[in-house]
């Protein structure tokens, strides 16, 4: 049987890696692996192929950047050609990016089965392009792989109950499989920082970095918190937007903030693991902070990972300067914060989601 996983952006490569390996290890499965080319910088794509020992994609569609419509439409045209040529039995898409939407729409219309990994997540904020993508993908995919119980009940509320499987989160799989490599990372030495003596910051969401008012609020909060070192691997979208304003210089001039290039998986996870706290607007990093017992402050008004907020491992602060600083300072004053996060039961499964996904994919195609 032929299985076609489709990836295109950094977090998809990470989420897909254990699934692709599980598929490749099965002698009855031929993997035809498509990269849309939505992310193309070495640090945003190729480095993760090296980290996870992934084969070169069967085809890279090299779509690159553009408006949402342009990007999605071009991916759809090229994906249709790839599907016509390779004739997969099932296509597997991941997460909530434009690559996910393009893959799901093309396969649904060609009557090819589609599996959606990370199905059922909702922020209920349709101003986020990712939310629009998720909802549409879940409504046209034929198999839904949910990472959490909340995700399955979100689908139920939308009357999606057939072919819904609670498998766990493949990001927990990746983390388990890379524990040793993460521990070996020398990133703290390289950056000359000490364990528990810094915070990690990431931001790249369109609603934060494309909105100058929100970006300014966040930057003002960060530059005012001189009591904690902040390590900031900068996403290309954010870098472009910071360069266009005075905010880039403001961050660069702050003595306690270190801006660096995006990191590889091992270095990033080690940096999170040894940090005092994480500030982020990423979905994946909220989970990774949780899984590594690190308190998280989320620079968004809502989250798909509600369990992390309910258990108080994660706090939503939006782009509110006061809230960002006050919640950060609360965590800094609380010596037991990491310990407490470490004691919370994980809602993200047992680290064997990829194996289950592979089994269900196989079963679904053999049953026609
Ligand atoms: C995309 C996903 C988001 C995911 C994120 C992870 C959508 C709608 N959003 O957002 O869900 O969390 O990826 O990073 O699909 N760029 C580069 N080099 C690269 C990649 C991008 O310079 O390797 C620049 C492009 O010029 C582009 C900008 O970054 O203008 C944004 O890239 P884009 O693909 O639109 O989405 P992300 O913001 O990365």
């Amino acid at each position: 049987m032929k299985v076609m996983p489709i990836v295109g952006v950094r977090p998809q490569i990470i989420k897909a890696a254990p699934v692709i390996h599980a598929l490749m290890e099965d002698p009855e499965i031929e993997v035809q692996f498509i990269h849309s080319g939505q992310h193309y910088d070495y640090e945003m794509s190729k480095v993760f192929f090296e980290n996870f020992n992934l084969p070169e994609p069967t085809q890279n569609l090299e779509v690159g950047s553009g408006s949402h419509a342009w990007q999605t439409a071009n991916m759809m045209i090229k994906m249709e050609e790839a599907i016509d040529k390779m004739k997969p039995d099932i296509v597997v898409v991941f997460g909530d990016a434009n690559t996910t939407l393009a893959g799901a729409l093309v396969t649904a219309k060609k009557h090819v089965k589609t599996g959606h990994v990370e199905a059922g997540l909702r922020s209920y904020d349709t101003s986020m392009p990712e939310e629009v993508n998720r909802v549409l993908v879940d409504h046209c995919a034929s198999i839904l792989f949910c990472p959490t119980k909340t995700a399955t009940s979100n689908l139920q509320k939308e009357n999606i109950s057939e072919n819904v499987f609670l498998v766990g989160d493949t990001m927990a799989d990746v983390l388990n499989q890379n524990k040793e490599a993460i521990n070996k990372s020398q990133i703290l030495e390289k950056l000359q920082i000490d364990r528990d003596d810094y915070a990690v910051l990431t931001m790249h969401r369109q609603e934060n970095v494309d909105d100058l008012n929100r970006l300014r609020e966040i930057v003002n909060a960060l530059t005012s918190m001189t009591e904690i070192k902040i390590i900031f691997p900068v996403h290309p979208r954010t870098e472009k937007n910071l360069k266009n304003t005075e905010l880039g210089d403001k961050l660069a001039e702050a003595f306690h903030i270190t801006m660096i290039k995006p990191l590889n998986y091992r270095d990033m996870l080690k940096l999170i693991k040894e940090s005092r706290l994480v500030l982020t607007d990423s979905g994946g990093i909220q989970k990774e902070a949780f899984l590594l017992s690190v308190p998280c402050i989320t620079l968004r008004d809502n989250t798909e990972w509600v369990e992390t907020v309910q258990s108080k491992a994660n706090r939503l602060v939006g782009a509110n300067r006061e809230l960002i600083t006050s919640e950060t300072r609360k965590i800094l004053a609380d010596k037991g914060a990491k310990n407490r996060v470490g004691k919370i039961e994980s809602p993200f499964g047992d680290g064997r989601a990829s194996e289950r996904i592979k089994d269900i994919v196989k079963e679904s195609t053999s049953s026609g």
Side-chain angles (χ1 to χ4, degrees):
M1 63 177 286
K2 295 185 201 167
V3 183
M4 179 187 278
I6 301 183
V7 300
V9 299
R10 175 171 64 177
Q12 290 177 324
I13 303 167
I14 299 171
K15 278 168 219 179
V19 179
I20 291 169
H21 280 299
L23 293 168
M24 284 191 337
E25 276 157 25
D26 191 314
E28 290 171 23
I29 296 175
E30 183 191 332
V31 179
Q32 303 162 320
F33 169 27
I34 300 291
H35 191 313
S36 70
Q38 182 175 347
H39 283 176
Y40 42 86
D41 286 349
Y42 172 79
E43 295 89 2
M44 299 297 285
S45 174
K46 183 106 198 321
V47 68
F48 299 100
F49 282 74
E50 293 167 8
N51 280 179
F52 303 127
N53 215 3
L54 286 169
E56 284 287 316
T58 317
Q59 198 177 339
N60 189 322
L61 309 177
E62 293 179 352
V63 168
S65 307
S67 71
H68 285 277
W70 184 92
Q71 195 176 51
T72 311
N74 276 287
M75 285 195 254
M76 286 180 70
I77 295 167
K78 293 185 173 185
M79 283 175 191
E80 185 175 57
E81 285 166 8
I83 289 170
D84 282 343
K85 196 168 85 192
M86 298 183 201
K87 301 192 174 19
D89 296 297
I90 180 166
V91 169
V92 184
V93 295
F94 300 81
D96 55 20
N98 289 341
T99 297
T100 323
L101 177 63
L105 284 178
V106 170
T107 40
K109 296 209 175 192
K110 295 201 82 72
H111 306 294
V112 175
K113 280 189 178 152
T114 322
H116 182 207
V117 175
E118 233 184 43
L121 295 184
R122 297 290 181 267
S123 65
Y124 298 106
D125 174 0
T126 46
S127 68
M128 291 175 67
E130 292 85 357
E131 180 74 1
V132 176
N133 291 346
R134 281 181 204 123
V135 174
L136 294 173
V137 172
D138 284 340
H139 282 264
C140 64
S142 31
I143 310 178
L144 297 117
F145 298 111
C146 294
T148 61
K149 281 189 198 138
T150 311
T152 57
S153 59
N154 289 343
L155 290 178
Q156 253 166 21
K157 284 183 213 152
E158 293 171 25
N159 292 322
I160 304 176
S161 53
E162 243 176 79
N163 292 322
V164 173
F165 299 93
L166 174 59
V167 291
D169 199 309
T170 66
M171 285 184 78
D173 301 16
V174 196
L175 188 49
N176 270 351
Q177 291 167 13
N178 287 275
K179 269 202 169 126
E180 231 173 276
I182 293 166
N183 284 337
K184 281 192 195 142
S185 157
Q186 296 291 306
I187 189 69
L188 268 63
E189 291 79 356
K190 213 166 143 194
L191 294 172
Q192 298 185 317
I193 47 175
D194 295 321
R195 186 175 181 205
D196 287 338
D197 191 36
Y198 63 92
V200 181
L201 163 73
T202 80
M203 58 170 163
H204 73 274
R205 292 269 164 217
Q206 188 180 305
E207 61 273 21
N208 278 337
V209 302
D210 288 9
D211 178 335
L212 193 55
N213 289 330
R214 285 180 71 98
L215 190 59
R216 182 168 289 123
E217 277 280 297
I218 297 172
V219 169
N220 284 339
L222 297 167
T223 49
S224 73
M225 296 190 289
T226 52
E227 67 270 47
I228 182 86
K229 285 190 195 104
I230 299 174
I231 311 295
F232 179 20
V234 189
H235 185 286
R237 174 190 283 274
T238 314
E239 188 184 13
K240 273 184 203 153
N241 292 355
L242 286 171
K243 268 192 192 150
N244 290 336
T245 67
E246 80 290 356
L247 299 172
D249 286 341
K250 197 168 175 191
L251 281 171
E253 282 159 16
F255 72 90
H256 63 297
I257 298 175
T258 307
M259 292 161 89
I260 56 176
K261 276 197 161 286
L263 292 173
N264 68 41
Y265 182 78
R266 293 152 193 184
D267 288 346
M268 187 65 198
L269 276 277
K270 173 79 168 184
L271 192 68
I272 295 173
K273 186 175 177 207
E274 305 297 358
S275 70
R276 192 72 190 274
L277 76 143
V278 164
L279 293 132
T280 190
D281 64 6
S282 149
I285 291 176
Q286 293 172 57
K287 283 186 283 184
E288 287 167 340
F290 177 89
L291 292 166
L292 293 167
S293 313
V294 176
C296 185
I297 291 187
T298 296
L299 306 165
R300 283 175 47 188
D301 302 315
N302 46 56
T303 179
E304 312 73 58
W305 306 108
V306 287
E307 302 87 348
T308 61
V309 175
Q310 284 156 358
S311 65
K312 299 200 167 66
N314 187 9
R315 297 140 212 239
L316 294 175
V317 296
N320 180 316
R321 180 181 172 168
E322 294 301 317
L323 269 179
I324 297 169
T325 51
S326 64
E327 289 301 322
T328 300
R329 287 181 173 136
K330 267 190 218 158
I331 294 175
L332 292 178
D334 178 2
K335 296 266 183 275
K338 275 180 98 164
N339 242 337
R340 262 199 306 285
V341 178
K343 288 191 181 132
I344 304 167
E345 199 188 327
S346 170
F348 302 120
D350 58 2
R352 298 190 47 242
S354 317
E355 212 37 56
R356 287 187 197 103
I357 292 169
K358 191 264 289 179
D359 290 343
I360 296 164
V361 160
K362 221 173 151 182
E363 178 104 337
S364 78
T365 49
S366 58
S367 61

